[in-house]
Amino acid sequence: MMNAHVRTEASEAARPASSLLEVKNLTTEFRTERGTVRSLHSVSFGLGEGEALGLVGESGCGKSVTALSIMGLLPQPAGRIVSGEILFNGVDLTKLSDREMEAVRGKDIALIFQDALTSLNPVLTIERQITEAARRHLGLSPAAARRRAIEFLDLVGIPAPDKRISDYPHQFSGGMRQRVMIAMALVCGPRLLIADEPTTALDVTIQAQILELLQRLRKELSMALIMITHDLGVVAGIADRVNVMYAGHVVETGMVRQIFKNASHPYTAGLLGSIPKLDSIRGSKLQSIKGTPPDLANPPPGCPFTPRCSHAFDKCAEPPPRSSPEPAHAAECWLLEAGVNTADSRGLS
Ligand SMILES: Nc1ncnc2c1ncn2[C@@H]1O[C@H](COP(=O)(O)OP(=O)(O)OP(=O)(O)O)[C@@H](O)[C@H]1O
Ligand code: SF4
Ligand SMILES: [Mg+2]
């Protein structure tokens, strides 16, 4: 069969026209007692101004490490970026000093941590915590920082923000604390917000409200968003594009509809199960695929999905190249090179 797919350079496919963020061949490792763990393998993706990107994949696939690498917050001394570039507005963040990175963090790029509900300091008032960044990054006086903080607490839906700003974190419900975290992340007007599982600890109704809030704020503030989640419904509802991660690789990337309607990687197809319609996956979690991800200290040679893939063939013992089945859509699988459409052959084990 003729090869219907175009092999692409890692960073070429699915790259938005104007890139705010360009992650190029990012490789991140941890030194552990069991040896070196490679958590990210040559990860590449781009993000345009105001665009929303979903990062999905099973636990341990490298979603948080991607966020921490971008923020320069890898646990030290174990974690380090071994190679690659993280271009934000054309500046390579991997080359910045700690001090220069501190100026970017919180101001231009903000992160809502995976354990956001425990990230607030219990012994400081919300005012202390939310005004700190506004004073440091924006050079505001205490009174101006307080006014700005109240404005942002109001924006995220905290009732009576002028009074609640004097409260301590334990005086807020889980959903309200999450709103405070969002206000704190946004107070300096970042151009990129990274939200790492921001709703996982919340009940379903509150989750929906927080997601709606993030979606609204993203548009109002013209901010780009990287949404890390296990929930395909969240991706469908909020993201323009999706990166599917497996064992530290971005195995598939594309527009939301391309990923949900025309998954090209067997892992993505496995996550989606056999549900083809976007509407019907709203609120659904990742499907479980038999087996577990590989030990990152000792990954299989070639395609990391080989031990779990019912489509595996001899070629899969070599690392698959990135191929593009259609514009803005790319995947790392030998089946694409062979011209096989995984979407039509979802017989996963
Ligand atoms: N502090 C650390 N020390 C050693 N290895 C680490 C550390 N943090 C992460 N890793 C390694 O990096 C891999 C990716 O971790 P990461 O936290 O990015 O996963 P994740 O996709 O965010 O998972 P989850 O959905 O559970 O949050 C892990 O499987 C682990 O092997
Ligand atoms: S490269 Fe081979 S093992 Fe990997 S996903 Fe494709 S078919 Fe499966
Ligand atoms: Mg994580």
Side-chain angles (χ1 to χ4, degrees):
M1 187 191 297
M2 274 262 296
N3 182 0
H5 305 290
V6 181
R7 193 183 283 206
T8 59
E9 284 305 312
S11 57
E12 226 171 66
R15 186 197 291 172
S18 82
S19 260
L20 175 68
L21 178 76
E22 241 189 280
V23 175
K24 288 186 181 174
N25 304 315
L26 180 66
T27 298
T28 298
E29 291 182 349
F30 286 92
R31 274 194 304 272
T32 71
E33 285 171 2
R34 296 178 51 245
T36 301
V37 168
R38 182 162 283 197
S39 299
L40 299 183
H41 290 253
S42 204
V43 161
S44 296
F45 63 91
L47 183 68
E49 293 271 4
E51 196 182 22
L53 172 74
L55 278 193
V56 293
E58 288 164 296
S59 187
C61 69
K63 304 182 296 295
S64 294
V65 170
T66 302
L68 295 174
S69 299
I70 294 169
M71 295 297 289
L73 288 175
L74 288 169
Q76 295 299 315
R80 71 184 182 107
I81 292 172
V82 181
S83 57
E85 295 175 4
I86 301 170
L87 300 175
F88 181 74
N89 239 356
V91 175
D92 187 355
L93 301 183
T94 67
K95 301 274 191 305
L96 297 188
S97 66
D98 289 349
R99 211 192 160 116
E100 288 168 327
M101 200 56 214
E102 262 171 37
V104 172
R105 217 168 17 234
K107 180 165 188 299
D108 300 311
I109 311 178
L111 172 66
I112 301 176
F113 284 93
Q114 186 159 6
D115 55 353
L117 298 185
T118 55
S119 300
L120 287 165
N121 187 331
V123 300
L124 298 180
T125 63
I126 296 305
E127 177 170 356
R128 260 301 279 291
Q129 301 187 58
I130 202 169
T131 54
E132 200 262 354
R135 292 184 62 185
R136 182 157 42 99
H137 288 307
L138 305 179
L140 297 182
S141 67
R146 182 183 156 88
R147 276 198 301 278
R148 189 168 171 96
I150 290 171
E151 190 188 311
F152 274 79
L153 289 173
D154 188 37
L155 190 69
V156 300
I158 303 279
D162 51 333
K163 300 202 170 51
R164 298 305 310 266
I165 193 168
S166 306
D167 286 347
Y168 290 85
H170 73 268
Q171 293 170 284
F172 291 83
S173 67
M176 284 294 162
R177 275 202 300 265
Q178 189 61 303
R179 286 174 191 263
V180 171
M181 291 298 304
I182 293 170
M184 204 181 285
L186 300 185
V187 76
C188 296
R191 292 172 68 197
L192 168 63
L193 173 67
I194 306 176
D196 193 350
E197 303 269 10
T199 59
T200 307
L202 305 172
D203 74 45
V204 177
T205 322
I206 309 292
Q207 274 187 22
Q209 291 171 1
I210 297 290
L211 289 170
E212 247 178 68
L213 172 69
L214 281 172
Q215 186 71 313
R216 175 168 67 77
L217 292 176
R218 176 170 84 84
K219 293 198 172 128
E220 275 179 25
L221 305 174
S222 308
M223 179 179 66
L225 174 70
I226 297 180
M227 173 64 80
I228 297 177
T229 179
H230 280 94
D231 192 328
L232 292 168
V234 169
V235 172
I238 214 166
D240 303 308
R241 290 189 307 118
V242 192
N243 280 354
V244 180
M245 295 192 69
Y246 186 75
H249 299 254
V250 174
V251 293
E252 183 156 8
T253 181
M255 304 306 288
V256 165
R257 286 196 169 268
Q258 294 174 324
I259 297 293
F260 285 115
K261 289 199 156 180
N262 190 26
S264 293
H265 195 285
Y267 177 64
T268 314
L271 291 180
L272 292 165
S274 56
I275 308 164
K277 290 246 163 56
L278 193 59
D279 287 347
S280 58
I281 58 100
R282 282 181 185 275
S284 61
K285 306 282 178 195
L286 299 186
Q287 297 284 313
S288 69
I289 301 169
K290 268 190 199 162
T292 50
D295 175 5
L296 295 182
N298 190 18
C303 173
F305 193 52
T306 310
R308 300 171 78 186
C309 182
S310 59
H311 300 278
F313 59 116
D314 51 358
K315 198 84 179 128
C316 307
E318 293 168 38
R322 187 176 270 207
S323 313
S324 191
E326 56 189 321
H329 185 185
E332 292 180 2
C333 173
W334 282 113
L335 293 174
L336 282 171
E337 285 285 299
V340 177
N341 186 350
T342 314
D344 296 336
S345 55
R346 286 187 182 162
L348 289 159
S349 57

